[in-house]
Amino acid sequence: MAGLVDFLSLLTAIVVFGGAIYGVIYVVNLINQGVATTKETLKTKGLDISKSGVSVKTSRRLDRDDYVDATQRGVMRAMGAASFRKADGSANASAVPPEMDRATSSSSIKSTGSDGKKKKGLFGSRK
């Protein structure tokens, strides 16, 4: 037969599990409320978020000339930022870069093993 300690243990277990379940439900509700308020503030700024995607509300309509102008500006900026040719034609596209003078340093001569000694491999001598 169950004693008083068994009933108190059962009551404690029910309270602990019930509290954990209530805590999870409370956190989920807080997250959902935060998402809802964020959607509302974004909607007032002109962004409408739904399951199908995001729609942006603009204050003016753009015609074809506006799109062409913006595209041309972007292309000109990209050409101006490119290193192979400037937009004003100041750099020659067929110009070869100057050849670099190369010299070996004393540390690289020592590291190549040119002094005749065999270098050991990671796990012993090389064959």
Side-chain angles (χ1 to χ4, degrees):
M1 194 155 151
L4 182 63
V5 175
D6 291 334
F7 286 122
L8 289 177
S9 298
L10 176 65
L11 183 64
T12 304
I14 290 173
V15 167
V16 167
F17 286 120
I21 291 171
Y22 176 77
V24 168
I25 291 172
Y26 182 74
V27 169
V28 167
N29 284 336
L30 280 178
I31 291 172
N32 287 337
Q33 287 175 357
V35 168
T37 57
T38 303
K39 281 184 179 182
E40 288 176 17
T41 57
L42 288 175
K43 188 176 273 190
T44 60
K45 292 181 180 180
L47 293 172
D48 187 22
I49 299 174
S50 64
K51 290 182 180 179
S52 62
V54 177
S55 63
V56 179
K57 184 172 73 173
T58 59
S59 60
R60 65 183 179 119
R61 301 294 285 175
L62 300 175
D63 58 351
R64 185 177 188 285
D65 289 334
D66 293 328
Y67 286 115
V68 169
D69 290 341
T71 304
Q72 286 176 348
R73 278 194 306 271
V75 168
M76 295 308 288
R77 285 183 189 155
M79 286 180 63
S83 62
F84 63 91
R85 177 177 290 204
K86 295 291 181 187
D88 60 357
S90 62
N92 189 359
S94 63
V96 178
E99 192 171 325
M100 295 178 58
D101 295 328
R102 299 182 64 100
T104 57
S105 66
S106 62
S107 62
S108 66
I109 292 173
K110 291 178 184 175
S111 67
T112 59
S114 61
D115 56 353
K117 293 181 183 176
K118 276 191 168 182
K119 291 180 85 175
K120 285 190 176 183
L122 185 61
F123 298 109
S125 63
R126 293 188 181 174
K127 295 183 179 181

